[in-house]
Structures are given as C-alpha cells and as structure tokens.
Amino acid sequence: MDYNATTPADKEVLALINRITTECYGNPSSSHILGRMSRACLDDARRKVAVSLECDDDEICFTTGGSESDNLAIKGVADGRSCGHIVSTCIEHSAVKRTCDYLATRNFSVTCLPVDRMGCVDPKHVEEAIRDDTFLITMMWANNETGQIQPVEDVARIAREHGITFHTDAVQAFGKIPVSVRSVPVDLLSISGHKIYGPKGVGALYIRRGVELVTQVHGGGQEQGLRSGTENVAGCAALGEACRLCTNRLDEWAQKLGGLRDELERGILERIPETTVNGDPVRRVPNTSSISFHGVDSSQLVVRLDEVGFAVSGGSACKSTTEGPSTVLTMGMGLSADEAAGTIRFSLGHGSDASHVAQMHEVLPGIVEQLRGVRSEKLT
Amino acid sequence: MLAGQGALTEGAFNPSLDVMDAIYFDNNATTRIAPEVFDAMVPYLTDVYGNPSSVHRIGARAGVALKDAREKVAAHLNCREAEITFTSCATESNNAAIRGVLQAAPGKRHIVTTAVEHPSVLELCKHLEGNGYDVTYVGVDGEGRLNLDALREALTQETALVSIMWSNNETGVIFPMDDIVDIVKNCGVPLHVDAVQMVAKIPIDLSKTAIDLLSLSGHKFHAPKGVGALFVRRGTRMRPFIIGGGQEKNRRSGTENVAGIVGMGRAVELGVRYLGSGVETTRRLRDRLEAGILSAIPNTNVNGALSERLPNTTLINFDGIEGEAILLLMDEEGMCASSGSACTTGALEPSHVLKAMGVPSNLAHGSIRFSLSRYTTEDEINTVLEKLPPIVERLASFTNHKRAGER
C-alpha cells in the first residue's frame, strides 16, 4: 500500500523494455540502421507521452525522473534572469522545495504559500502573493502525502493573466486523474515513469511552445539542446507505453482504487477510535489516504505493519531518511505535532485488492492499540 | 513503421531482420546490453520494485541492491563505496562534476580543459565562458598527444578545475594520466577525468592516482542506457547538481534507477573478467581490421597510430572520399560504423578532434571510426575486409569522374 512511493513495471511495459534493450540498442544520434531504429523508438515514445498529455511531440523533453524535471523547469526558468520572485507552496515535493530554497540563497526571493486545513492552496493567496517581479509560480497538481488535488486550473488562469510562467509537478496526479495541458493551460509540467508502472530512471517535462528554458545539462545537444546525454531509449519507450496504458485505463483504475480506498478508510475509522482522515475527501486522487492515529508514532506503525507484510509509508518516501514530522501536515494543514507524528499514508495500486483491505482491517486495530498502550505506560 | 500516431494505440515496434544481423562497429557510441546484465535487472523491475528510501522491506531490498552495485563499481575502480555517486549518464556526471566544483569555489573563474574533449565538457565550458569564466583549451599534436607543456603553463592561481578525458572517444588515443596528475596536483587544482571510454578496456586504480573526480557511463560497457556514475574523492568540495530528496548522499536527488544501477554493477563485474585476454583478443581483431584496410585500400591512414590507443578503436582516413557516403553504403550492406562521435552526427562539420590534430579537412571529411566490443567476431572482421574495398573503390571512381567533369 505504498504505490505513491513507487510502482512495479507493468507486464506490457516490461516486455517492451526487454525487446528494446536486446534488439534496438543503437545510439539514437547514430546515422546507421541501429541508430535510426533507436531514433524511431524514441519518436514513438515521445508521441505516446504527448498524446497522453494532449500536447505536441516537440513539447516533451525526456529526463531521468520527476526530480530532474522539477529542477530543469525551475532552474531553467530562473537561470534566464538575474533576480526575481517565485511563488511556491509549503506542500511541494522536496525537488521543488529545495530547488526554491537554493534559489533563495541567490538573488531570488520565494513566497511559500500555506494551505488550508484540507491541504489545499487558496488561489486567492496566489493572486495576493504576486509581485511586479514575480516570474514563476510552481504548485503541484496533487500532493504526494495526502493526495489532495490543488486548484491548478485557477492558478493557471491567474498565472496567464499576469504573464507569469506556471510550473506544476504532476508526478502524483498523472495516471490517477485526468491531466491534460490542453484543458489546463500550464506552461511546464513534470511527470515520472516509476509512479505510473514504468521503470525508475525516466521522466519527462512538458514545455509549452514558446517557454524558454536555460539548458541544465550541456553536451551533444539531445532533447532539442535542453538535456544532453545519450537517451535512455528503452526507458523512454517504457515511459511512453506506461503513459499510454495509464491514460487508457484511467477511469477503470480510478473507480476500482477509489472504491478500495474508501472501504479501507471506512473500516479503519470504524474499528479504531481517535483516527482522522486528512484532507478533503472529495478533492483527492482516488488511491491515496492519509490517516492520523492519535497517540501513535507512525515510524513504529510502519515497522509493525512491515512485519505483517504491509508496506505503507509515514510520509513521502523521499523524506523517510530524514527525521521529523511531515511539513505538509504540520506547517501546511495545521496538524498538531502529535497528530502529524501518527500519520500514515496508504496508497493503493494495481496490485491492491479487497483481500488486502480486509487483512489490513484485521491486523491494524490490534497494532494501534498495542502501540498506544506502550505509549501511555511510558507516560504514566 | 512505428505507429501511435494521434491515438493511443500500441506502438508497433518491430525491428527488421537486417537490424538483428547488422555488424556493429560503433561500440564507442553505445554498446548492446549483455544478456547477463539484463537478467540481473529484471527482478528489480518486477518483484523487488521498492523505493530504496522507503523503510519497509520492499524498499530495503532495493536499498541492498544499490549497495551491492556500489560495492562492485568501487571494487573495480579501487575506491571507497561512499565515493561513488550514481547518475543517469556520463554527460550528467561531467556536468555535475564541473559545475559542482565551480560552485564550491565561487572565487575562482578559470577552467583548464583540452581541445578534444567530449561535447558534454566542451559545450558546458562554452556556456561557462558566456557566464564569466575563462577557459583554456590545451591542444594536441598530430598524433593526438596532449601538449603537457601547454597544460603546465595554463595553470594559474585562478584555476578552479582541470577537466581532461583519459582516452579519446574518436581516435582512442590515451592521455598519460600519471603525468597529467603530477602537473595538476602539483598546483593543488582539482582534477576531473572523463573515463567513459576506459572502463572494461583498461584497468583503472583510483588508489594509485590523485584524480579527484572521474566520470563513467554504463552504456559504453554493455550496461543499459540511462545510468552512469561519478567518483568523487573523499574531501572534494562540490555542490549538489540535482536538488531534492537528498539521495546519493545529497549529491544527486531523484529516486534511484535501481534496475539500471544493478545492471551497471553486473556489467562492471563482467567487464573486469574481460580485461586481460579478452581485451587482447579485441586488440588483435582491431589490428587485423586496421592492417587489412590499409593494405587493401590506397590513400588511407590511421589517426594517432603512433600513440598509445584503446584496444578497440581505430579512426581511419580515406583521402578524398566523403565519410558520410562510405557510412551510407556500409549501412546498406548491414555494417554500422561512425564518422566521428555519434553525439554530433548530423552536423557535417569535420570532427573537432581531427581539427585539433591538424588533420587537413579533405582527410577529416573522409574518416571512419570502427569501434569493436567483446562481441566482435573474426567473421565480422572478414566481412568488412571483403565488402569495404569495393565500396571505397566505387566512391573513388565516382569522385574522380566528378572531378574530371568539373575540369
């Protein structure tokens, strides 16, 4: 139940990786037949990603993942100027947050917008934060910890009205809810392969035609000069295929996982007292549930669930190595340290089924009760 | 042939038989993945798919695989595990090394490199020149040998970094790294080395050299594309390149490409086994190919023939004949080679490496690089030696006719 951290490669994606790595190993920059075959694979992959996002092929730049896409988008825009103001939010993934922090140590200033109790950014706050020198707004499409869907449409409109570039990290939204750059006019959008049943090590950045970015990786001039380096052909092909599959199956999976998630939540709330679901239950990606177990240390809960065969997360995987309660929940949503410290993210995926949910309902109450017991003993 | 146009239909990826039968002499551009390497990767795409940063067991198993791969790479280079940072490719490694060191020493604005580097170094240096940095490009002689005196003279108090490749991707010429290290480290300047073409061809022992940073790329030694590494000697000051979750000891954020990294670990292991007699077999095949071409085709010569060279590479000039035309006809006969570095193919400019060596443009335009691998066979060499002379002859007669017509 940790599919927001990463997903296994889909069987069809794996078959494609297998065929391309073994049969199509040329360098896409080579002019001979093996090179041309690789180039064709790459073009095909780009087409699939573009079709999924509803943009043109040449607006897709392949990268090595969500983090690189975020870095390229933000630094790529900022490097084109010497100073200025960026509007971001306090619930961003660390790839956005720390890149903004880094820019704040240079000549840039960054406004970090709060979220409401439901984990949502208020578009009014975005509008208010805009200054004369604001050149970039970066706000994620859906939050990785709570699954909360942000008001990207409103913010995109505001950005456009003010002539400000708008980047969105759609890593957690893409493949779970409809994400189209035609219906929502964002300028830059990051996606990652391994969150949508593609492999790790590949992602993409959508760059609306006309948006100028400064190259971050220089060299042979691949990816229209924006991202040099021999292309990971099999990885890109796999990303393309994963995009195609997740777009085709979007409704089916949203319905299935939404049902399972709701059942999981309902059962947990019913069986375990002093638990709360974080976020707005209506504006969430269908697979994610963030639940606070009051008086429980989530890291212990993660370990205990691991022992009985459940992989869940206390927050974003990328931060699990650093200690401390989630900033999304405390700073963002105003949870108390105690509530935040007892928060577990359940994120369902293609491997999840009703039996897993039932099993979780069976084992979780006992574990929580036990952990709470230990804690109250310590306190007395 | 490849579908997917406009609709989300399955891409009809179908390599033709020609592709499978192609004779591949372009291994400095990229290599085929070793079957053992792919087998090692599969579990990490399927069952052991965890995020190494996760605390649960699925994540921890991925973490163990990363550690294991890091051990293998470190063992091959004879350095500490903690000194290996996984990246997505050598281009990223080179960019990360150069930018990372420069950002850690903002007061120094001078870089020393060579005129024959890979574009990932040269293009970055060009970009930095536009951003307040001075760059000195040390030259080479007609045999591709580095001008060590010029290197010595280039170093100043202001020099922030020296970046020099160990061996050249086009000519295969190997630079005298011990001499370079002596010169650079005498001045106390950090030294970055692009060793992309060295791995699994020439042994590298980082415990016996004072190189500070070293780049390598998986897909040049039968690992997959999309994975590389950067060695950063303990104590080297550098800023992170991709910022985020703090993976790779904060040097390179982003969820690790576990399967790719595992593949690279396995490829290093296999590469080590190939060192020695395997490499000597490749050298013998390369020498046979080279000698065969020189004796069968008039007006040909080998670039850097007098220098120490990689055992798998030869860059041959065919005087007065368009290299691209030779490649095209070779391609029609199922033989893959290259006219220079693949990364700049498409541009019909003569190679910057040959230019730096002072090779006249009529020769440089007619140069073909053959780069072999451990999968190259005697039969493939025979095929090329049989098919190439008539191709060149055809083109030569065509060129002569054209010249006669022009007169």
Side-chain angles (χ1 to χ4, degrees), chain A residues 35-57:
Chain A
R36 295 197 305 275
M37 281 302 303
S38 286
R39 171 65 54 198
C41 291
L42 205 57
D43 290 346
D44 187 50
R46 201 182 307 277
R47 163 72 38 88
K48 287 178 181 171
V49 179
V51 169
S52 290
L53 291 172
E54 301 196 292
C55 65
D56 289 334
D57 297 8

Side-chain angles (χ1 to χ4, degrees), chain A residues 2 6 9 19 23 25 29 32-33 36 40 44 47 64 71 75 98 102 200 218 227 244 306 317 320, chain B residues 2-3 9 13 15 26 32 45 49 53 56-57 88 95 99 225 239 241 243-244 250 252 331 342:
Chain A
D2 198 16
T6 192
R19 287 169 70 189
E23 296 167 2
Y25 58 87
S29 297
H32 48 65
I33 184 153
R36 295 197 305 275
D44 187 50
R47 163 72 38 88
T64 60
N71 273 253
K75 291 191 228 164
R98 293 187 56 200
Y102 160 73
K200 296 175 183 60
H218 296 263
R227 206 299 182 183
R244 186 182 75 81
D306 190 31
S320 48
Chain B
L2 287 154
T9 53
F13 168 69
D26 201 9
R32 73 175 67 183
L45 292 164
Y49 63 86
S53 298
H56 47 66
R57 274 176 291 184
S88 68
N95 275 254
R99 284 197 194 240
K225 296 173 183 59
R239 296 262 322 161
F241 184 60
I243 307 171
N250 212 19
R252 202 290 184 188
D331 189 35

